């Protein structure tokens, strides 16, 4: 049995061969990149990142854990003065962007109708919407808000609405228009843009971003009565190759690069899994996992796993999360933090998860701590919050930035497929 298993593992580490992609080489096609630069040293309160993810996927947490007397949480949530300090596009067509609040999110600048904004690229949704001047003045105070009346390329889509609802109490609702979007020097005209007239407070809390650019498939787009193309599917038409390469880097410089699989960004092979786009998510098969150097485990419950650049953490099936923290010295599930905490001095094991039926991707333990969340009142020791937390029974697992920043990840509309490689 042991031998069979080790042969199995050896096979799993066999690499898929990356075939040289044929370039369409049409004049108007090109690629561009958006740099992602970590900014500031503010730390995000882990449970806030988890709450945002729960809200996005409509997860209502069940409090399974204990409220510990010996755990004193940090109450104040660090906020950043985002948009003002983001580096402006440079002269070469590549634009810089910023990682905010201790990798809580990675934000990028775009230009809409000639106006510049800092937005979140989100492979977990398919609407593009912006904080805008149709919102009540008080809710947009001090923020960059898109003003359609100041754009010469804006056109209203009379009678169309978009309505994103995340969970029970979080929504963005309003009218729709089209405008010209520029990202890193590549311009696309006629992209549908949601202009909310009402948004829930939860969206206004995120002061580091002025909108969301959905990079999921168009079938998730919420525009009525006529669903519209997601930004990724729109811009794919003018790219060399219909791909997005994400090299998010923790505590460093990262980049989103559209239109090219950039061989200088990774070493070894790009392993490839086919994506089931029927739900609109970048969803693939992922039925195995491994904690540290332990044995490969089958996850019988795993129906699907998605890659989501718009979520900070990895949200996995509860039993996988339990298996992980069983290997972390002093880890405890705490209701008041809605998740696992552990002494910051504890060493975190590596975590491996299947990418398709043939490959395992290993995230080093060093990247799996997320933030400091409080103090152990008994020992005075700092208590940390892990980047792996529970999906609370959701029918899919979500690989957010805690996973993605360990790899070079290609979102490929051909197939479609997802490719993962070790960054250089
Ligand atoms: C605090 O430290 C004590 C003693 O080591 C330990 O039993 C307890 O589980 C710790 N609490 C937390 C929340 O880590
Ligand atoms: C944000 O910037 C303003 C002035 O630009 C400053 O007064 C305020 O303290 C800053 N807030 C934070 C959280 O840094
Ligand atoms: C938005 O969608 C939600 C759920 O589908 C619905 O309950 C809500 O009434 C809609 N809002 C508007 C303004 O249409
Ligand atoms: C964790 O993974 C890294 C590579 O990402 C490897 O170098 C290291 O040996 C692994 N550690 C353990 C304990 O398996
Ligand atoms: C990945 O596989 C798909 C087919 O499933 C193929 O279309 C695509 O070109 C492959 N991508 C890479 C980078 O090998």
């Amino acid at each position: 049995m042991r031998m069979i298993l080790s042969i199995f593992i050896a096979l799993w580490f066999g690499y898929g061969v990356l075939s040289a992609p044929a370039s369409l080489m049409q004049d108007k096609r090109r690629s561009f990149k958006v740099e992602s630069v970590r900014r500031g040293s503010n730390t995000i309160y882990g449970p806030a990142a988890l709450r945002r993810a729960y809200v996005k996927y409509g997860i209502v947490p069940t409090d399974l854990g204990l409220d510990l007397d010996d755990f004193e949480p940090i109450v104040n949530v660090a906020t950043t003065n985002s948009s003002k300090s983001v580096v402006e596009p440079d002269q070469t067509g590549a634009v810089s962007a910023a990682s905010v609040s201790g990798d809580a999110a990675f934000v990028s600048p775009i230009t809409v109708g000639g106006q510049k904004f800092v937005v979140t690229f989100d492979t977990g949704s398919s609407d593009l919407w912006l904080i805008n001047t149709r919102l009540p003045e008080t809710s947009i105070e001090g923020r960059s808000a898109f003003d359609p009346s100041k754009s010469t390329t804006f056109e209203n889509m009379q009678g169309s609405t978009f309505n994103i609802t995340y969970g029970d109490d979080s929504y963005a609702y309003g009218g729709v228009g089209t405008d010209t979007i520029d990202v890193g020097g590549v311009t696309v005209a006629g992209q549908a843009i949601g202009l909310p007239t009402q948004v829930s407070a939860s969206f206004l809390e995120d002061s580091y971003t002025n909108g969301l650019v959905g990079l999921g498939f168009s079938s998730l787009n919420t525009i009525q009565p006529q669903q519209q193309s997601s930004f990724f599917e729109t811009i794919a038409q003018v790219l060399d190759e219909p791909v997005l390469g994400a090299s998010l880097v923790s505590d460093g410089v990262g980049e989103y690069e559209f239109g090219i699989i950039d061989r200088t960004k990774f070493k070894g092979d790009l392993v490839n899994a086919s994506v089931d786009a029927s739900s609109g998510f970048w969803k693939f098969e992922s039925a195995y996992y491994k904690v540290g150097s332990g044995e490969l485990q089958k996850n019988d419950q795993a129906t699907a796993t998605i890659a989501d650049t718009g979520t900070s953490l990895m949200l996995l099936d509860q039993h996988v999360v339990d298996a992980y923290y069983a290997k972390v010295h002093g880890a405890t599930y705490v209701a008041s933090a809605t998740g696992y905490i552990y002494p910051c001095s504890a060493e975190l094991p590596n975590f491996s998860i299947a990418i398709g039926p043939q490959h395992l991707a290993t995230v080093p333990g060093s990247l799996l701590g997320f933030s400091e969340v409080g103090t152990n009142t008994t020992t005075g020791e700092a208590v940390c919050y892990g980047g792996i937390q529970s999906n609370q029974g959701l029918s899919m697992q979500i690989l957010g930035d805690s996973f993605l920043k360990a790899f070079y990840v290609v979102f490929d509309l051909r197939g479609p497929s997802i490719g993962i490689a070790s960054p250089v």
Side-chain angles (χ1 to χ4, degrees):
M1 179 56 202
R2 171 159 296 275
M3 201 174 103
I4 292 170
L5 188 65
S6 51
I7 289 169
F8 188 41
I9 292 173
L11 283 175
W12 275 46
F13 281 97
Y15 286 114
V17 177
L18 173 63
S19 56
S23 170
L24 296 167
M25 284 302 169
Q26 291 182 18
D27 277 349
K28 280 166 69 188
R29 295 182 183 245
R30 49 190 164 166
S31 66
F32 64 96
K33 55 191 177 179
V34 183
E35 282 180 7
S36 169
V37 184
R38 187 185 161 83
R39 183 188 63 235
S41 57
N42 288 338
T43 53
I44 183 85
Y45 186 50
L50 186 66
R51 183 170 46 82
R52 273 205 298 275
Y54 283 175
V55 160
K56 177 171 181 178
Y57 290 98
I59 296 170
V60 181
T62 48
D63 283 353
L64 303 167
L66 306 165
D67 257 313
L68 295 181
D69 293 339
D70 59 3
F71 168 59
E72 186 181 359
I74 298 169
V75 264
N76 116 353
V77 179
T79 55
T80 50
N81 270 348
S82 62
S83 31
K84 290 163 199 142
S85 53
V86 165
V87 188
E88 295 296 331
D90 64 24
Q91 302 305 306
T92 65
V95 276
S96 341
S99 151
V100 285
S101 295
D103 293 347
F106 292 83
V107 297
S108 307
I110 64 167
T111 302
V112 181
Q115 302 166 37
K116 286 176 184 150
F117 302 97
V118 175
V119 295
T120 308
F121 285 163
D122 180 18
T123 58
S125 69
S126 302
D127 283 66
L128 192 166
W129 64 265
L130 297 169
I131 297 288
N132 70 94
T133 51
R134 294 180 182 175
L135 281 162
E137 229 169 89
T138 48
S139 60
I140 58 173
E141 222 172 353
R143 305 186 57 158
S144 311
F146 176 60
D147 186 347
S149 71
K150 295 210 173 103
S151 166
T152 55
T153 42
F154 179 80
E155 280 180 46
N156 213 33
M157 275 176 79
Q158 202 61 47
S160 288
T161 57
F162 87 107
N163 177 8
I164 291 194
T165 51
Y166 295 145
D168 303 336
D169 56 353
S170 178
Y171 60 90
Y173 172 83
V176 179
T178 60
D179 210 334
T180 298
I181 305 211
D182 183 302
V183 187
V186 172
T187 301
V188 281
Q191 170 64 43
I193 300 164
L195 298 178
T197 45
Q198 300 164 31
V199 298
S200 55
S202 53
F203 282 128
L204 294 168
E205 277 168 19
D206 285 353
S207 61
Y208 52 76
T209 171
N210 296 305
L212 214 63
V213 176
L215 299 171
F217 296 91
S218 301
S219 60
L220 266 181
N221 179 267
T222 73
I223 294 174
Q224 299 268 9
Q226 183 77 54
Q227 194 169 54
Q228 301 293 315
S229 171
S230 76
F231 177 71
F232 198 177
E233 293 194 40
T234 306
I235 202 161
Q237 297 163 20
V238 298
L239 298 174
D240 261 358
E241 297 177 57
V243 298
L244 164 65
S247 27
L248 303 180
V249 178
S250 182
D251 290 317
V253 177
E255 194 166 76
Y256 283 116
E257 194 167 14
F258 287 83
I260 187 174
I261 295 173
D262 188 345
R263 302 209 61 107
T264 66
K265 292 276 179 2
F266 63 95
K267 54 180 188 261
D269 290 302
L270 189 67
V271 301
N272 196 355
S274 71
V275 163
D276 169 5
S278 60
S279 62
F281 292 112
W282 288 88
K283 188 163 110 177
F284 51 91
E285 190 185 320
S286 178
Y288 293 86
Y289 69 98
K290 190 157 81 92
V291 177
S293 51
E295 292 194 356
L296 192 64
Q297 303 290 327
K298 181 140 172 50
N299 179 0
D300 292 318
Q301 286 166 32
T303 46
T305 296
I306 67 166
D308 180 4
T309 58
T311 291
S312 315
L313 305 170
M314 287 172 79
L315 269 51
L316 306 179
D317 292 333
Q318 184 75 48
H319 69 102
V320 178
V321 178
D322 292 342
Y324 183 76
Y325 288 104
K327 300 287 185 212
V328 178
H329 186 71
T332 329
Y333 188 92
V334 175
S336 57
T338 351
Y340 273 99
I341 59 173
Y342 58 90
C344 297
S345 58
E347 197 171 314
L348 295 177
N350 290 350
F351 180 76
S352 308
I353 188 162
I355 304 299
Q358 283 172 358
H359 306 287
L360 269 187
T362 298
V363 184
S366 56
L367 288 179
L368 286 171
F370 186 68
S371 70
E372 197 175 312
V373 279
T375 311
N376 184 323
T377 49
T378 309
T379 61
E381 248 194 313
V383 172
C384 278
Y385 198 73
I388 290 179
Q389 298 293 350
S390 170
N391 67 359
Q392 301 276 348
L394 190 72
S395 61
M396 57 192 187
Q397 303 192 101
I398 297 155
L399 304 186
D401 301 332
S402 288
F403 173 86
L404 299 168
K405 65 195 182 187
F407 302 101
Y408 174 70
V409 182
V410 176
F411 296 86
D412 192 337
L413 286 171
R414 295 164 300 193
S417 68
I418 189 159
I420 296 203
S422 301
V424 286

